[in-house]
């Protein structure tokens, strides 16, 4: 496990760059930091809509939403989500939102 | 331009799929595509396909370890360049096939393959033991209960004569999976080697709430043994975690697949189960699932002698008793499973009696059975 320093904050991350303590350590500085890794030049309201949708769903249900639910709540088709987050909803958006790393046969 | 990490989407090529296979067909196959009349197995590992045009395609099948280096692939390419106009293919059991367009070219190819030591054993056709379909094991996976490559090497060394000959009643498919995710063909193979655990998961209460989506771990359990619970971490704080009812757990490891804070691998607990009697073809009888006959054999590295002996015993007992064309599962069902256990000398244990949901259909609702050595 490693610790990342960014803009005066420190974050515990795993080898894939996901927050190991989850949303406990998450703040806006984390989003700024991940942005630079994920090839996103400008954070728009659309990005924030996805991040907020993920966080709200996670707080309420304890899991990340299925891709279909994310599309339905944000109104963005999967194609648009990939345009916003080139690494996709799991590796890109969930990482930025401070959700746990996706598991299973991925 | 090379990849630019600052602008990952610039010059990015995507969704192009695999190249069309037609580009790589040998000329004789391209010419006679869809126009084959019949085929023959000339000798173990050598096939001849006859086309309507009178053309012949001779195929030499050789074993491969599946996990191979680029050097080895280059050597395969070198052989293909020398004998086969640069064309070569892999089979669905990870054997390698070299194709030539006349009988005269077969012997030089066989001689060349033979001159390279045991790198390219010719065989795996007809009623033989072909390659073992297997998985990652300790080479690359995080959920295995046994190794893949090591066990496969140990078993194939012992069964090598069956790879290079065609002396069995029918083909015997051996498969291995290192956990009961069963990647590959374990659930439908004549003889299946399966990695299993025998201890429940250990729960890391310090990490679980940050690392895991708890409802996923709970829903992953086929027996409802995982429940949400408030637990205490090493600092004495109360955290959201899960509790595993050990008496309900059958050690499948699904919860660890979903939740990294629930590991269950254990050197003494883990080992191998043997299943037999599966098939996928529709010839004669319908496809069958393989069934558990040996519940546990230890992980005895690096040669797994117990597993090798068990597989060999099952194979040779089948070879001795089955009729021509009869697959292992067909044989066991014809003679009755009680006779299968008697002939192979495998002790029947309670672990072979199904107790999962639809178990009732697998019990015997008949007075038809044979008295065997198991009935005292």
């Amino acid at each position: 496990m490693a610790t990342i320093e960014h803009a005066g904050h420190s974050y515990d991350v795993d080898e894939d760059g996901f927050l190991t303590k989850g949303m406990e350590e998450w703040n806006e500085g984390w989003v700024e930091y991940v942005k630079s890794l994920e090839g996103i030049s400008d954070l728009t309201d659309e990005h924030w809509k996805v991040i907020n949708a993920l966080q709200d769903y996670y707080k309420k249900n304890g899991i990340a939403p299925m891709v279909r639910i994310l599309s339905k709540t944000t109104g963005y088709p999967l194609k648009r989500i990939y345009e916003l987050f080139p690494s996709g909803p799991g590796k890109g958006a969930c990482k930025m939102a401070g959700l746990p790393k996706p598991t299973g046969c991925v | 331009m090379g990849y630019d990490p600052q602008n990952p989407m610039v010059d990015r090529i995507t969704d192009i799929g695999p190249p069309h296979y037609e580009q790589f067909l040998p000329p004789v196959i391209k010419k006679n595509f869809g126009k084959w009349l019949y085929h023959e197995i000339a000798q173990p590992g050598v096939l001849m396909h006859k086309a309507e045009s009178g053309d012949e395609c001779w195929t030499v099948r050789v074993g491969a370890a599946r996990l191979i280096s680029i050097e080895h692939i280059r050597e395969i390419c070198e052989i293909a360049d020398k004998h086969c106009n640069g064309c070569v293919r892999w089979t669905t059991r990870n054997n390698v096939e070299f194709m030539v367009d006349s009988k005269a070219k077969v012997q030089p190819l066989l001689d060349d393959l033979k001159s390279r030591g045991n790198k390219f054993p010719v065989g795996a056709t007809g009623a033989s033991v072909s390659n073992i379909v297997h998985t990652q094991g300790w080479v690359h996976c995080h959920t295995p209960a046994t190794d893949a490559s090591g066990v496969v090497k140990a078993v194939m060394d012992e069964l090598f004569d069956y790879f290079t000959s065609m002396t069995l009643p029918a083909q015997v498919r051996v498969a291995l999976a290192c956990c009961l995710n069963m990647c590959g063909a374990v659930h439908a193979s004549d003889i299946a080697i399966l990695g299993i655990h025998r201890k429940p998961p250990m729960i890391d209460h310090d990490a679980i709430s940050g690392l895991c989506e708890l409802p996923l771990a709970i829903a992953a359990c086929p027996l409802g043994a995982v429940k949400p619970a408030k637990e205490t971490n090493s600092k004495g704080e109360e955290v959201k975690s899960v509790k595993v009812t050990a008496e309900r757990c059958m050690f499948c490891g699904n919860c660890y697949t979903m939740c990294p804070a629930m590991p269950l691998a254990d050197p003494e607990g883990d080992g191998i189960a043997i299943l037999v009697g599966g098939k996928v073809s529709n010839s004669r009888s319908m496809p069958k699932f393989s069934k558990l006959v040996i519940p546990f054999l230890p992980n005895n590295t690096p040669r797994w002698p117990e597993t090798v002996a068990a597989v060999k015993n099952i194979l040779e007992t089948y070879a001795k008793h089955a009729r021509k064309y009869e697959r292992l599962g067909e044989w066991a069902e014809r003679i009755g499973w009680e006779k299968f256990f008697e002939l192979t000398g495998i002790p029947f244990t309670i672990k072979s009696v199904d107790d999962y949901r639809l178990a009732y259909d697998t019990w015997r609702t008949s007075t038809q059975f044979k008295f065997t050595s198991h009935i005292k």
Side-chain angles (χ1 to χ4, degrees):
Chain A
M1 223 184 319
T3 307
I4 280 174
E5 299 287 338
H6 180 74
H9 285 278
S10 69
Y11 307 95
D12 285 341
V13 297
D14 63 11
E15 69 277 13
D16 291 312
F18 280 80
L19 289 175
T20 51
K21 291 192 182 141
M23 256 184 285
E24 212 178 289
E25 273 195 346
W26 181 91
N27 57 27
E28 296 203 2
W30 173 252
V31 177
E32 284 296 320
Y33 169 72
V34 177
K35 189 185 100 165
S36 60
L37 305 174
E38 293 291 317
I40 298 167
S41 45
D42 296 305
L43 269 183
T44 62
D45 289 349
E46 289 187 294
H47 288 99
W48 278 107
K49 195 171 169 185
V50 174
I51 292 171
N52 289 333
L54 287 171
Q55 293 190 334
D56 291 346
Y57 192 93
Y58 186 77
K59 280 178 198 151
K60 198 170 151 208
N61 299 295
I63 58 171
M66 281 114 252
V67 171
R68 279 159 167 264
I69 293 174
L70 183 65
S71 287
K72 209 168 179 182
T73 49
T74 56
Y76 303 143
L78 189 58
K79 191 168 181 288
R80 182 74 191 129
I81 294 175
Y82 268 92
E83 282 162 13
L84 296 169
F85 301 93
S87 316
K91 267 188 73 191
C94 280
K95 188 197 274 186
M96 263 193 167
L99 268 55
K101 180 161 66 181
T103 54
C105 298
V106 278
Chain B
M1 198 181 117
Y3 175 71
D4 174 13
Q6 299 307 317
N7 297 295
M9 302 304 279
V10 174
D11 294 332
R12 181 166 171 266
I13 298 166
T14 179
D15 296 323
I16 54 171
H20 197 281
Y21 58 85
E22 211 179 70
Q23 290 172 247
F24 309 107
L25 292 180
V28 63
I29 291 185
K30 200 165 184 174
K31 184 184 159 202
N32 297 292
F33 200 96
K35 295 172 196 155
W36 300 100
L37 283 177
Y38 64 90
H39 74 276
E40 283 166 5
I41 303 175
Q43 66 187 73
V46 181
L47 303 154
M48 188 278 287
H49 286 78
K50 188 89 172 178
E52 287 167 5
S53 62
D55 286 351
E56 288 178 357
C57 177
W58 290 76
T59 304
V60 176
R61 185 177 295 167
V62 302
R66 190 181 71 91
L67 216 60
I68 54 179
S69 65
I70 289 183
E71 279 81 4
H72 191 70
I73 296 172
R74 288 203 172 118
E75 189 168 345
I76 291 169
C77 293
E78 183 204 317
I79 297 167
D81 282 339
K82 209 157 126 191
H83 298 274
C84 322
N85 292 315
C87 294
V88 62
R89 72 179 172 206
W90 265 252
T91 70
T92 53
R93 293 193 86 80
N94 305 301
N95 292 304
V96 181
E97 288 187 343
F98 298 102
M99 292 137 297
V100 292
D101 53 15
S102 77
K103 193 180 181 184
K105 294 178 182 170
V106 175
Q107 199 52 46
L109 172 59
L110 288 174
D111 293 342
D112 185 355
L113 292 168
K114 202 169 182 184
S115 74
R116 294 165 194 263
N118 283 327
K119 277 188 193 168
F120 303 101
V122 177
T125 52
S128 65
V129 176
S130 181
N131 218 343
I132 300 184
V133 167
H134 63 282
T135 55
Q136 311 225 28
W138 297 329
V139 170
H140 197 69
C141 189
H142 69 297
T143 64
T146 187
D147 190 27
S149 305
V151 188
V152 165
K153 167 70 173 152
V155 171
M156 280 315 282
D157 277 351
E158 192 66 28
L159 304 186
F160 187 71
D161 289 344
Y162 294 102
F163 183 88
T164 53
S165 67
M166 306 190 290
T167 54
L168 296 166
Q171 71 268 42
V172 173
R173 300 288 183 238
V174 186
L176 177 146
C178 43
C179 80
L180 38 68
N181 219 353
M182 294 195 178
C183 302
V186 161
H187 66 297
S189 290
D190 293 287
I191 302 178
I193 306 165
L194 178 67
I196 52 147
H197 304 285
R198 293 188 300 168
K199 294 186 182 180
M202 299 159 275
I203 304 169
D204 182 352
H205 298 301
D206 286 350
I208 193 164
S209 33
L211 232 44
C212 302
E213 303 167 53
L214 300 180
L216 293 187
I218 294 158
C221 184
L223 294 174
V226 183
K227 289 199 186 89
K230 293 252 186 275
E231 296 283 350
T232 325
N233 68 10
S234 58
K235 287 184 198 148
E237 300 158 349
E238 194 175 74
V239 291
K240 276 193 200 168
S241 183
V242 295
K243 196 160 65 184
V244 174
T245 315
E247 310 85 72
R248 287 192 77 89
C249 178
M250 60 172 176
F251 332 118
C252 70
N254 279 353
C255 52
Y256 177 58
T257 301
M258 298 316 292
C259 173
M262 299 177 75
L264 78 164
D266 180 272
E268 275 77 44
D270 295 355
I272 281 171
I274 305 281
L275 296 80
V276 304
K279 72 195 267 285
V280 289
S281 82
N282 286 287
S283 47
R284 300 169 306 279
S285 62
M286 284 200 281
K288 297 179 203 301
F289 282 130
S290 11
K291 295 178 169 56
L292 180 92
V293 293
I294 303 180
F296 180 78
L297 297 165
N299 269 331
N300 204 344
T301 58
R303 299 297 297 179
W304 282 268
E306 298 86 356
T307 302
V308 170
V311 171
K312 192 169 188 194
N313 170 41
I314 292 168
L315 179 74
E316 294 192 333
T317 311
Y318 154 77
K320 197 173 146 198
H321 291 95
R323 294 174 183 161
K324 195 166 162 61
Y325 302 126
E326 201 168 45
R327 295 286 292 268
L328 203 153
E330 295 170 325
W331 165 65
E333 283 181 7
R334 174 171 62 79
I335 64 171
W337 284 95
E338 65 267 41
K339 276 285 175 192
F340 170 87
F341 279 94
E342 186 176 60
L343 288 171
T344 51
I346 297 170
F348 184 82
T349 68
I350 196 165
K351 304 285 184 198
S352 283
V353 181
D354 196 349
D355 57 359
Y356 184 69
R357 291 171 67 186
L358 304 174
Y360 183 84
D361 287 351
T362 66
W363 303 339
R364 188 161 308 193
T365 49
S366 160
T367 54
Q368 294 193 356
F369 73 99
K370 297 183 190 89
F371 283 98
T372 62
S373 54
H374 293 81
I375 299 167
K376 294 287 188 305

